Amino acid sequence: MPKTLSSAALAAALSAFIGASLSTFPHILTLSQTGEAAWLVSADEVFYHQIAARADFSDPALSSSRPILYSRLPLLPGTLAARALGLGPLAPGPLWRVWSGLFLGLAWFLLLRCFLSNPWLCLGGAVVLMSDAGMLYGWLGLGHYRLLARAALSAGEPLTSQNPVLLPQWRILNPALSLPFVLLHLYFLVRALAEPTLRRLAAAAAAFASLFYVYFFFWTAATVGLAIGALLDASKRKTYLKIACAGALLGLPAVLSSMALSHDSPAEALHRIGAFSPVARFDNLLLPKLAIGLMFAGYFWVLGRRRDVLPIWAAALAGLLLSNEHILTGVMMGNDHWAYVWGPLLYLMIVIAVANRLKTAAAVALCAIHLSSAFWLRAQETAAAEPRRLALERGRYLEQRFAPAPQTARTLAAGPADFIDWAVLFDNQAPLFSYASILSPSIDNTALAERLALNSFLSGLGREEFLRERRSLMMEYTLGEGVDAGAVYDRVAADPRAFIRRYGVALVARPASAPPLSLRGWTPVKKGPHWTLWGPKTRPTSRSS
């Protein structure tokens, strides 16, 4: 017995170490190449760092303190560690990835351990699940090897030319920091179903409750999964219901808080970020044929041979069904995000089904190929154009930093994105318009259009340049329908002072090559190689958040 426990502990530790290595590999490469560990792969990651930089984790798009729709819980470990160590606003990124790798590696191992007796098979399964590029969408190796084949046949075109993220399971915030909570929920659920002691029931209820504080798509799928499990397994129905009721009661405050925020937010702002968007009931159906076929076959496998896998199958089915919830509700909720549930769990069931059938040599070879190719894919992500662009922007900002240290009082700043994003992160500024503004649940479409128009005007863009910029943004993001952008810009250009007072703009960054800001009462406060910073002689008072 001690030998078995020792082997299991070693395998679990290796799984966590491999997870952390895969997760942090871009930071390690960046550190070796540039001397800095900071590596941000997308605008989303800049946004999450902006949230972490605010003491109360409030909306970075506003000068006032208002909540965001994103859960704080997954961000807390890395953020609080960075603050405790005094490491600066870029430190949460590497720490988030260390934490997500350790947590995800351990969670996959523990869940596999519920179904596979050999700890080394559990380690191999965890390695495949963590390193397969198609895992998140249940592509069962097909996506991974298709990506490698594309690399071999691409004639020099970077794999990251269309998307800088090749291993989406390591994306910050979701799913890298949140998926482990789902896996632990299922781990404790399986254990409680096998032996429903008070301690195991309490652990399962607490793990289920944690999902309410982590991610909307996870607690909804888990809730429906528990209902499906209770429906199909009469012998354990009471256990399912006890866990569901206790966990839901503990999670109720999170649901009420989200409902209050949604009630206080403009409906069009929620639609803009993909929540409660009205849609025709049979439009945008998500019907992945491979996943549906495997789920159908899995039903007979689970009920006929592996009833212990029923909680996994039920949660995967719940995610797949919820992906088309708009058939019943008539609204979209960002339904593709439920793939973060059904994709990994479908892949997990395949791993459980085939693990004991593979010969040792084949299993070792499969793990080695997956893991080595995953590290190679992470290296490609590290060298992608988008992280390099963000690093260049960050370097330009720090070369001509607005202030040597974060300001205690937030002021609202206007200017180009390559200035504003970093002013928000490093120097506690609030943006007149930025990516954070698009994601803010507190800014309606009219205010968003006015913010963008005023920001463009103050940055030195004319009407046609503003309209081109807005069209470009609308190709990537939803900025709201029914707004006459040209008319908004005309109103702003006719009386910019009124809009400056409305939003409380106190700083304007204009490219160094742009003409001077021709506003009476505004004067240059700092000139540099990249931007000239302008401020009013008397700071305006904002009448809007």
Side-chain angles (χ1 to χ4, degrees):
M1 182 65 69
K3 183 178 179 180
T4 302
L5 290 175
S6 176
S7 298
L10 178 59
L14 281 173
S15 184
F17 174 76
I18 290 170
S21 300
L22 266 174
S23 183
T24 60
F25 192 57
H27 293 279
I28 296 170
L29 280 181
T30 302
L31 179 63
S32 68
Q33 294 165 1
T34 68
E36 293 185 344
W39 179 75
L40 292 87
V41 72
S42 67
D44 284 328
E45 285 196 23
V46 177
F47 174 65
Y48 299 137
H49 279 78
Q50 291 170 349
I51 294 172
R54 299 206 68 176
D56 57 357
F57 292 85
S58 58
D59 191 340
L62 305 175
S63 54
S64 58
S65 180
R66 293 188 183 180
I68 55 171
L69 287 174
Y70 293 88
S71 170
R72 304 173 185 181
L73 180 59
L75 296 173
L76 283 178
T79 304
L80 296 181
R83 291 179 184 178
L85 296 172
L87 296 179
L90 291 176
L95 294 176
W96 286 335
R97 285 198 165 86
V98 170
W99 171 246
S100 68
L102 293 172
F103 196 7
L104 193 57
L106 183 60
W108 274 127
F109 178 86
L110 290 175
L111 187 53
L112 282 161
R113 195 82 170 99
C114 294
F115 308 105
L116 302 174
S117 58
N118 187 328
W120 301 109
L121 280 180
C122 297
L123 173 61
V127 166
V128 170
L129 288 161
M130 289 188 290
S131 58
D132 193 299
M135 180 277 292
L136 205 58
Y137 306 103
W139 288 342
L140 312 177
L142 300 177
H144 188 82
Y145 291 105
R146 184 173 62 186
L147 192 61
L148 297 178
R150 183 179 140 208
L153 302 173
S154 63
E157 180 185 358
L159 287 176
T160 55
S161 58
Q162 297 178 356
N163 187 345
V165 178
L166 302 177
L167 289 170
Q169 62 264 47
W170 295 112
R171 177 182 176 271
I172 301 293
L173 163 70
N174 298 306
L177 286 167
S178 55
L179 182 59
F181 289 91
V182 174
L183 304 183
L184 286 187
H185 153 65
L186 292 168
Y187 167 74
F188 286 112
L189 173 61
V190 170
R191 284 170 54 83
L193 291 170
E195 188 179 342
T197 63
L198 180 60
R199 179 178 297 180
R200 290 192 175 190
L201 287 171
F208 172 48
S210 72
L211 299 180
F212 289 81
Y213 299 88
V214 171
Y215 202 30
F216 168 82
F217 300 97
F218 287 168
W219 73 257
T220 49
T223 301
V224 176
L226 289 171
I228 294 172
L231 182 66
L232 294 179
D233 193 346
S235 65
K236 298 178 180 178
R237 184 168 297 152
K238 288 185 178 180
T239 302
Y240 276 106
L241 294 177
K242 287 177 182 177
I243 294 169
C245 292
L249 186 62
L250 293 171
L252 184 60
V255 176
L256 295 177
S257 176
S258 295
M259 290 175 63
L261 177 58
S262 298
H263 180 268
D264 293 340
S265 301
E268 56 196 25
L270 298 176
H271 298 167
R272 192 173 63 239
I273 58 180
F276 304 104
S277 302
V279 66
R281 295 181 186 273
F282 293 97
D283 284 354
N284 303 309
L285 295 179
L286 296 174
L287 301 172
K289 296 178 182 178
L290 177 61
I292 292 172
L294 289 172
M295 286 298 300
F296 181 74
Y299 172 80
F300 297 100
W301 174 67
V302 166
L303 294 186
R305 297 186 180 183
R306 294 297 302 261
R307 292 190 73 89
D308 58 330
V309 185
L310 177 60
I312 310 299
W313 182 87
L317 178 62
L320 200 56
L321 292 174
L322 286 169
S323 297
N324 294 296
E325 53 75 31
H326 60 287
I327 295 175
L328 296 178
T329 65
V331 297
M332 290 284 282
M333 302 294 299
N335 293 14
D336 56 323
H337 291 82
W338 272 297
Y340 292 173
V341 178
W342 64 257
L345 297 186
L346 182 59
Y347 207 139
L348 171 64
M349 288 191 291
I350 300 299
V351 169
I352 294 169
V354 304
N356 286 311
R357 301 175 184 273
L358 288 177
K359 293 183 178 180
T360 302
V364 170
L366 180 65
C367 290
I369 293 171
H370 262 76
L371 189 57
S372 59
S373 58
F375 276 110
W376 182 80
L377 290 172
R378 291 296 269 167
Q380 306 311 301
E381 291 178 327
T382 307
E386 184 66 4
R388 287 189 282 112
R389 182 186 68 80
L390 292 172
L392 178 62
E393 284 185 2
R394 183 175 72 247
R396 283 160 50 92
Y397 179 81
L398 293 176
E399 180 185 351
Q400 187 191 325
R401 192 169 179 181
F402 167 63
Q407 304 299 297
T408 55
R410 292 196 104 203
T411 56
L412 195 135
D418 59 353
F419 175 89
I420 291 297
D421 284 339
W422 307 106
V424 172
L425 177 56
F426 286 107
D427 290 310
N428 201 34
Q429 301 301 294
L432 175 61
F433 179 87
S434 72
Y435 179 58
S437 309
I438 299 173
L439 299 180
S440 174
S442 300
I443 300 176
D444 62 31
N445 288 343
T446 299
L448 189 71
E450 290 177 350
R451 284 169 170 263
L452 176 56
L454 180 59
N455 193 73
S456 299
F457 177 83
L458 294 176
S459 300
L461 299 184
R463 188 179 193 274
E464 293 305 314
E465 292 173 301
F466 156 73
L467 292 174
R468 281 198 298 271
E469 180 185 28
R470 189 172 190 274
R471 283 193 294 268
S472 176
L473 285 170
M474 290 186 72
M475 293 177 67
E476 290 190 71
Y477 314 115
T478 301
L479 299 186
E481 303 297 333
V483 175
D484 187 340
V488 172
Y489 184 89
D490 292 339
R491 290 199 300 272
V492 167
D495 190 3
R497 293 177 182 278
F499 288 91
I500 288 172
R501 287 193 299 271
R502 176 179 300 177
Y503 292 107
V505 179
L507 177 73
V508 174
R510 289 170 72 94
S513 58
L517 181 64
S518 56
L519 278 177
R520 184 167 53 86
W522 283 67
T523 183
V525 295
K526 187 171 183 180
K527 294 183 178 180
H530 308 300
W531 305 280
T532 299
L533 306 185
W534 296 74
K537 294 179 180 178
T538 301
R539 178 171 292 184
T541 301
S542 172
R543 300 207 308 260
S544 171
S545 298

